[in-house]
Amino acid sequence: MPDGRTIHNLALVGFMGCGKSTVGQMVARDLGFRFVDTDSLVEERAGLSVSEIFSSEGEAVFRKLEKDAISDLAEKQALVIATGGGAILKPENFESLKTHALLVCLWAKAESIHERTKHQKHRPLLQGKDPLGTIRKMLAEREPFYKQADVIVNTELRPQREVVAQVCHQFEESIKGTSGLAEA
Ligand code: S3P
């Protein structure tokens, strides 16, 4: 790592429905790391689902819980962290994760995300009348944040097993300090 970061964890970032949790669990198994999902950490602490937190407490409360969960991970080692799709929009989350984790963004285009998420009910931000329009708008707004990741893996170019292998490879290279850290 060129800029003095101590990389001992791997964080998956990117839009909802890009496979962070599924890929993250497979990567964790391959690396022999523990898998954590920031949404699950928030749900455990709140005793409520993400949807319930959004509807009864509001998004701001969810974002505060998410920030606390992320900052607590900074002390931990050998983790694969699946972050919620909005997590790295907060600079403090991005900065915190960057100190200890390689940031890998899983990318897909809006239409594919819509296909993958259209029958799911657990994402409050995608339950409106025009989910594809919402995805297009949010993805465009968030793209600059996602592109700050160390590596971007396009999940549409290869089967999931290859996405997992690519993420593991990038991580192994980064801890050797030899990675080009580019688009993969
Ligand atoms: C959100 C993504 C969700 C969850 C919450 C908000 C977002 O996580 O954190 O519904 O703002 O993109 P996933 O990306 O795991 O679906």
Side-chain angles (χ1 to χ4, degrees):
M1 272 297 126
D3 52 359
R5 293 159 63 192
T6 313
I7 301 300
H8 40 72
N9 296 316
L10 190 156
L12 291 171
V13 305
F15 204 81
M16 295 170 268
C18 284
K20 297 177 301 261
S21 299
T22 314
V23 168
Q25 288 174 56
M26 293 164 83
V27 168
R29 197 193 53 214
D30 287 1
L31 294 177
F33 280 17
R34 188 159 72 86
F35 173 75
V36 293
D37 181 316
T38 61
D39 285 343
S40 304
L41 294 176
V42 167
E43 289 179 331
E44 278 162 27
R45 285 176 191 199
L48 296 170
S49 69
V50 170
S51 296
E52 287 167 340
I53 301 169
F54 268 70
S55 62
S56 64
E57 316 278 336
E59 181 172 349
V61 169
F62 172 78
R63 295 298 173 198
K64 164 84 175 70
L65 293 167
E66 182 178 55
K67 180 171 91 61
D68 293 345
I70 288 174
S71 81
D72 290 350
L73 296 174
E75 306 305 318
K76 309 254 162 57
Q77 310 263 342
L79 294 181
V80 174
I81 304 160
T83 63
I88 64 156
L89 274 58
K90 253 193 197 303
E92 55 266 58
N93 292 340
F94 177 72
E95 291 303 328
S96 171
L97 288 165
K98 219 177 83 172
T99 61
H100 60 90
L102 184 76
L103 265 59
V104 178
C105 173
L106 298 186
W107 181 262
K109 58 181 192 291
E111 292 70 23
S112 312
I113 293 170
H114 180 242
E115 274 309 305
R116 293 176 192 174
T117 57
K118 65 184 179 189
H119 299 303
Q120 299 175 341
K121 296 279 167 249
H122 65 283
R123 293 189 176 93
L125 296 174
L126 301 183
Q127 302 310 311
K129 284 204 178 71
D130 175 20
L132 178 56
T134 304
I135 293 167
R136 284 196 178 119
K137 183 169 175 292
M138 288 176 71
L139 191 59
E141 287 165 0
R142 291 176 172 194
E143 183 171 348
F145 295 91
Y146 296 144
K147 297 246 156 120
Q148 291 176 292
D150 296 304
V151 185
I152 298 168
V153 177
N154 190 333
T155 62
E156 309 200 59
L157 299 178
R158 40 177 83 84
Q160 197 163 60
R161 192 61 242 172
E162 282 178 33
V163 171
V164 171
Q166 185 60 43
V167 173
C168 290
H169 172 74
Q170 291 290 329
F171 182 75
E172 279 155 0
E173 289 301 303
S174 80
I175 55 175
K176 277 192 238 158
T178 56
S179 175
L181 297 184
E183 191 150 336

